[in-house]
Amino acid sequence: MIDLKQYEIWFVTGSQHLYGEEVLKKVASHAEEIAKNLDGSPFLPVRVSYKSVVTTPDQIYQVCQQANVEKQCIGLVVWMHTFSPAKMWIKGLSALQKPLAHFHTQFNTEIPWSDIDMDFMNENQSAHGGREFGFMTSRLRKNRKVIVGHWQEEEAQKKLGNWARVAAAWHVFQTTKVARFGDNMREVAVTEGDKVEAQMRFGFSVNGYGVGDLVRYVKEVSEKELAELIEVYEAQYLMHASLRKGGQHHASLLEAARIELGLRAFLEQGGFGAFTDTFEDLHGLRQLPGIASQRLMADGYGFGGEGDWKTAALLRAIKVMDTQLQGGSSFMEDYTYDFRKGRSRVLGAHMLEICPSIAASQPRCEVHPLSIGGKEDPVRLVFDVDSGPAINVSLIDMGNRFRLLVNEVEAILPEKELPKLPVARVLWDPKPDMSVAAAAWILAGGAHHTVFSKAITTEFIEDFAEMAGVELMVIDQNTVLRDFKDKLHWNEVYYHLFQNRM
Ligand code: MN
């Protein structure tokens, strides 16, 4: 679990000298008050740090350069209290490498109808000051978030807070290491891709490790740590009788716990934030990691099955975004359909690896055969997922660019028990309906693997795509298939022309 309070966004206020000392003092005190208020807001998961009002090109350039090098700074929030001639911002914004949010707010709330005079007008100029700044940022073709709303309103604070979550994920992504145990599932296409381009575009690095490297860690697990972890399992999950001490499959549980401890030690010692494995390459491991992968995801690690490093990295980013939010996020796979006239739905699951952060109730700990891969029966957590809005997100490599794809869905509790299904699962109703959603997903080349999240919304992924400068396609309540196809075609041209723009 990551501590987001270690990060800061910098609150920078633009103005100019024309107004004189008196007004600039007021501008500074107002800006400080807003920054402090935001810093104390329950909707801001990171610190908000007040920076002096900037009134010259040099000051602007300096604060942008400082933001670039300060490790705890994850982005700039810029506000125009007054007019700030925007040619002053060219050098600074061109140099800025961290995410930018333009907070289009005003210190004052309602117009003081009977008292308003030209002094008041001079002091509260965000309405046109923000437009001058907006022109320059657009003229520079710079991606940024524009948040409009009064700074005391919950809605505006939430938008800024969610953007800060995404900026934190982006910050973490710059140093994220993904460990791949084995390669991917043989002949699978969508889990492949350009790892060099991914590192250039997103910052995370992907490197392979032999399963033997991991097995060495598993073998080093002490009996003491093993006994302690078994106690944790027993306290947190509904243990199947056969897995308990003296039970027929207790040895499987010990082996699963040993794998978790070995895997955890490997990831911790190497400073990894995500990992992949594949059931086709487990030499030396007696089980495919099931409960291990599930519990590591719950602790904030990204995971992708069958060598899927893109989904593993994406899940890591989303785990940073959803820190301490309700709902959870997991590796997911569209598994099987429930075809019904007018209300077809998708049952999502995986062989084992669904994160218990999305569980509706206490998971059951069970052991069953995997029926693929020829290894011993793996231990896994089995559960259902509660109803409510969710998204499925896929990151795919189109050859000349990356594409992020989102489908908004409504999770629903299964109407009936699934007594023979030995894996965690979630049923969802894709928007606008399954026939449009699945066709659009397939036309966009979306993977069968996704990140499923009940904690974040499409807007998080939209902000993330803009920080990365990659394409985003969204399938939601308003999706019309023919328009969606047009957008795919237009984007081919757009991203061909602008592929190096951020
Ligand atoms: Mn899979």
Side-chain angles (χ1 to χ4, degrees), residues 305-306 331 333 335 350-351 448-449:
E306 293 99 57
F331 177 64
E333 181 167 309
Y335 228 102
H350 203 252
M351 288 189 292
H448 56 285
H449 285 169

Side-chain angles (χ1 to χ4, degrees), residues 79-131:
W79 172 51
M80 301 302 125
H81 189 337
T82 57
F83 200 72
S84 178
K87 285 202 276 185
M88 296 197 299
W89 288 83
I90 293 175
K91 197 176 170 195
L93 288 181
S94 301
L96 182 67
Q97 291 160 351
K98 295 214 168 151
L100 175 68
H102 175 191
F103 194 21
H104 190 56
T105 189
Q106 176 176 284
F107 185 71
N108 197 60
T109 46
E110 293 178 16
I111 291 174
W113 302 103
S114 55
D115 297 327
I116 188 166
D117 57 11
M118 276 323 281
D119 285 345
F120 180 92
M121 297 279 271
N122 271 336
E123 206 181 275
N124 291 280
Q125 299 188 346
S126 303
H128 65 280
R131 282 170 162 76

Side-chain angles (χ1 to χ4, degrees), residues 168-176 202-205 313-314 316-317 464:
W170 181 249
H171 186 79
V172 169
F173 233 21
Q174 304 315 304
T175 53
T176 291
F202 296 105
F204 67 81
S205 61
L314 180 64
R316 171 60 182 156
F464 192 67

